[in-house]
Every structure is written in structure tokens, then in C-alpha cells.
Amino acid sequence: MYCRSLLHASPTSLPSFKAQASPLFTHQRFPQKYSNRRPQLSLARTQIRCTAEAAGGPGNWDKWIPRNFVAADKVLRLISGATSSPIAQFIQSPTTFLHSVDSRIKLAWLLALVILPARSNVVMRFGIAMYLALLSVLILPKHVWMDQLGRVSLLCGILFIMLGLGADGAPPLVQLRSPPPSMTGLPNVPASFQGYSYVIMKLGPLQLTRKGFSVATTSACLTFTIFQSASLCLATTTPEQLAYALQWFMLPLTNFGVPVAEVTLTLLLSLRFINLVFDEVRNVALGIVSRRINWQLLTVMETVDVFFGYIRRIFKNIFSHAEQISQAMIARGFRGDSKAHKIYFSSDSSIGIADILSLLCLVSLIGATALLNYRSM
């Protein structure tokens, strides 16, 4: 918006007067054309006219940006759909054998599944990933495992392609510094009888080598294992049981001054708080989608403002929940000392048949991985 000042002259006529000669100058006479002229005085009157949409104004840059460029409706629907599955939530029914396994054994499984894919060969990596996928299908409900396996598989597939073609994809432009064998008189290196090839596949200027394939399989299988094993553990174990298992493993560290009670209480609060975060993200996104905003009529800056309001509302609700949790803890007697605050863990320390079978499977997996690594050496 800019302002334009216009000056309009309005002539104002004054009464005419005749020029009278002074007695001292009686011999002079003014010409007729000057004596009959009526003097006029122009009074300037200022009018300010403001124009909001003038060509070339500083406020017209946003009209050149296409509307609905961000596709905000689709983004909000994806957000509400991605958080609809119970991520990091305990699924009480249907009850399976994995629900009855001790939480300490589950933590041991998690540690083993993080270490083994990085230390095993390609066959064992894919075997662990397939085992977790089959276990997810058997344990989790259908709408949960279909959503989780689809998203995790897509992420791992993109990671595999990017690392496989990018780790060692571009051939290095190097020149040998040593002279060829024909100049030194040494025989040429014989070709491999087994058809060994460092380059597995070529895709235009990119290539998939053995080094890139090893890096891609390690990263993709390790990502899939970490995500899916953590999802299985959280879906079949309550937060109190996980806190009890972590406290049981970290109890010897109290002799070295490690605040085990604070770590356990922090873990318990974090597991309780994750569900609230996902619920708030989904509920606020559904609230915006349900209002049926016509995104075609909004400019880019207005769409960005809606998203900033969405994020601001999420943080406001999360901070409100955090304040309610702190007030609830104070009402229950918490005064800042984690050691003096009693935490009731709903965990059963008895060892059953499911626990023994889980330990046997864990030992068998570790033994098979060590045996395959020994043979590959």
C-alpha cells in the first residue's frame, strides 16, 4: 500500500481594484491591459489517495506464488494417519506368549538385536529382519502390523537404495602409480577362476559394488531391527515392567554413584509421556482437517501461518499435560528426591516356560551368528 498526494488548484476570485496613481507620479499611467487585470490567488488543497493494489507495489509479490502449493490438506491427513496406530503403546489384548515373557529377558533380546546385525553376515541380517517381521504378524493385530511394517519397510528400502548406490557408486578416477607388469617383466595377475567381480550391478553412471551392498544391508537391516524390535517390546510390555527391568540391570551401578532411581523415574515418565505427544499431534491435525478449510483460497503465507498455529497449539497442549503430571506427582508426595519416592512396579519375577524358551532361542541365535562368522573367516 502506498499513498499518492494530489494537488488540486482552486482559483479564488478576489474583488477587483483600480490602481490609483500617487500625486507624486501623476505623469505616469499604467497600460490598460495591466490596470484591468484581476489578480488571482491559488490556494493549494491537498488530497491523499491510498491505493492498496497498485501495479508494482511491495505487497503484490505473493500473487505470483501458486496457491495450494504446499498441499496442506494432504500433509495434515498424513500426519493424522501416521499417528493413528498405537506407537509406543501397550496393547493389552489379544494376550500372546510374548506378554508373559519377563521384561528383563526382553531387554536382553533388544541388546542382542542391536549388536548382532552389525556383527553378522548378510544371510544372518536378512534372517533376523524376516524373523522380526514374522513375529510382528503373529503378535500384533492386523491393522497395527500392516501399518508399522509398511512404513518401516519403505524407510529401510529408501535407505538401502541410497546407501547401496551412493556409498561406492561413483567409480574413482585414479591412476596407478606403479608401472604395468609388461614394463617390469613380471607376469600378469591371473584372473579368478570363480568369477569374482567387485561390481555387482551398474545402473548408468552409478554402480552397486560389494562394499556398497555390505553398507546398505547393514544400515537397512539394523534400522528395521531397531524400530521393529522396540515396537514389539513396547506393545507387549507395560512401562512399569520396563522400568523395573532397567532398574534391575542398573542396580550394581549404584556403588559407583550412578543415580539409578532418577534414571528409572525418568524412563517411566517418558514412556507415559510419549503416548500423550502422539495423541496431541493426531488430535490437533484432525481438528484442522475437520474444519474443511478451503486451501485453494489461501496464499502461501496464510498456509504457513496455519501450520505455525498448529505447532503452537501442539506445544501448548503438551506443556499443559506436563504441568498436570507435575501437579499429580506433587499431590502423591513427590518432593524431588527419587530415592525417597516409592514407585510400585507391577512386575512378576517368576520364571515360566515362555522365559526359558526365550532364553534358549537367544542363546541359539548368538551361537549361530558366531558360527557363521567363524566360517566366513
Side-chain angles (χ1 to χ4, degrees):
M1 177 183 294
Y2 70 99
C3 296
R4 183 173 55 191
S5 176
L6 301 178
L7 297 178
H8 296 276
S10 59
T12 304
S13 300
L14 298 178
S16 60
F17 62 93
K18 294 182 180 180
Q20 298 179 357
S22 175
L24 298 177
F25 301 97
T26 55
H27 61 279
Q28 295 180 355
R29 294 181 62 88
F30 291 97
Q32 186 68 23
K33 61 179 181 178
Y34 294 106
S35 61
N36 297 331
R37 174 174 294 182
R38 295 180 178 179
Q40 297 178 353
L41 178 63
S42 299
L43 298 180
R45 186 175 58 187
T46 305
Q47 179 180 359
I48 300 176
R49 182 179 301 173
C50 298
T51 305
E53 296 181 357
N60 293 325
W61 61 270
D62 55 343
K63 72 177 182 180
W64 300 103
I65 302 177
R67 296 178 182 271
N68 201 20
F69 180 73
V70 187
D73 191 16
K74 296 181 180 179
V75 173
L76 290 174
R77 291 182 184 275
L78 287 175
I79 292 174
S80 60
T83 56
S84 60
S85 60
I87 303 173
Q89 294 183 7
F90 175 69
I91 302 176
Q92 188 174 2
S93 61
T95 305
T96 59
F97 76 95
L98 201 58
H99 287 76
S100 59
V101 178
D102 193 85
S103 57
R104 294 168 291 183
I105 301 177
K106 292 178 184 178
L107 286 185
W109 265 99
L110 288 178
L111 180 61
L113 290 176
V114 170
I115 297 176
L116 291 181
R119 304 292 299 176
S120 58
N121 54 8
V122 179
V123 179
M124 185 58 66
R125 293 169 193 164
F126 281 105
I128 293 174
M130 294 300 296
Y131 167 74
L132 285 176
L134 180 61
L135 192 63
S136 301
V137 173
L138 296 176
I139 298 300
L140 300 178
K142 183 178 180 180
H143 69 280
V144 176
W145 68 260
M146 288 185 65
D147 183 72
Q148 290 184 1
L149 288 181
R151 298 180 188 277
V152 175
S153 300
L154 178 61
L155 175 63
C156 295
I158 296 174
L159 188 63
F160 178 82
I161 294 174
M162 293 180 61
L163 291 178
L165 298 178
D168 199 17
L173 300 177
V174 296
Q175 185 178 2
L176 295 176
R177 303 182 63 180
S178 60
S182 58
M183 296 181 61
T184 57
L186 298 176
N188 294 329
V189 179
S192 175
F193 295 101
Q194 298 180 358
Y196 175 80
S197 178
Y198 181 71
V199 179
I200 300 176
M201 183 185 65
K202 300 194 71 174
L203 185 62
L206 302 177
Q207 60 183 4
L208 179 63
T209 61
R210 294 183 179 271
K211 176 183 176 181
F213 182 75
S214 177
V215 173
T217 53
T218 303
S219 302
C221 293
L222 186 60
T223 303
F224 183 87
T225 302
I226 291 175
F227 276 98
Q228 202 58 34
S229 61
S231 176
L232 280 173
C233 182
L234 293 174
T236 58
T237 313
T238 59
E240 289 80 9
Q241 292 175 351
L242 287 176
Y244 167 74
L246 183 65
Q247 186 183 25
W248 188 83
F249 280 111
M250 295 182 63
L251 198 59
L253 298 178
T254 54
N255 300 325
F256 300 96
V258 178
V260 178
E262 295 182 5
V263 173
T264 305
L265 183 59
T266 304
L267 175 66
L268 186 60
L269 293 176
S270 301
L271 293 176
R272 291 291 188 183
F273 199 72
I274 290 175
N275 302 332
L276 297 176
V277 173
F278 280 104
D279 289 340
E280 288 300 330
V281 171
R282 180 173 179 267
N283 293 335
V284 178
L286 287 176
I288 297 177
V289 172
S290 63
R291 281 169 173 79
R292 298 187 178 274
I293 301 175
N294 193 354
W295 301 98
Q296 301 288 342
L297 301 178
L298 299 182
T299 60
V300 176
M301 296 305 300
E302 291 172 346
T303 305
V304 172
D305 184 63
V306 172
F307 272 96
F308 272 109
Y310 168 67
I311 297 174
R312 184 168 59 249
R313 173 59 63 179
I314 289 175
F315 277 99
K316 182 178 179 180
N317 295 347
I318 288 175
F319 289 149
S320 176
H321 284 297
E323 184 179 1
Q324 293 175 6
I325 291 174
S326 63
Q327 292 177 359
M329 292 182 64
I330 294 174
R332 285 167 174 80
F334 182 74
R335 294 297 182 268
D337 189 5
S338 301
K339 296 180 180 179
H341 188 69
K342 179 64 176 178
I343 302 177
Y344 297 94
F345 299 108
S346 57
S347 59
D348 188 9
S349 59
S350 60
I351 302 298
I353 300 177
D355 301 330
I356 297 175
L357 292 177
S358 300
L359 288 175
L360 290 177
C361 292
L362 179 60
V363 173
S364 302
L365 181 62
I366 296 174
T369 304
L371 182 61
L372 288 176
N373 291 337
Y374 177 76
R375 287 185 177 181
S376 62
M377 294 175 59

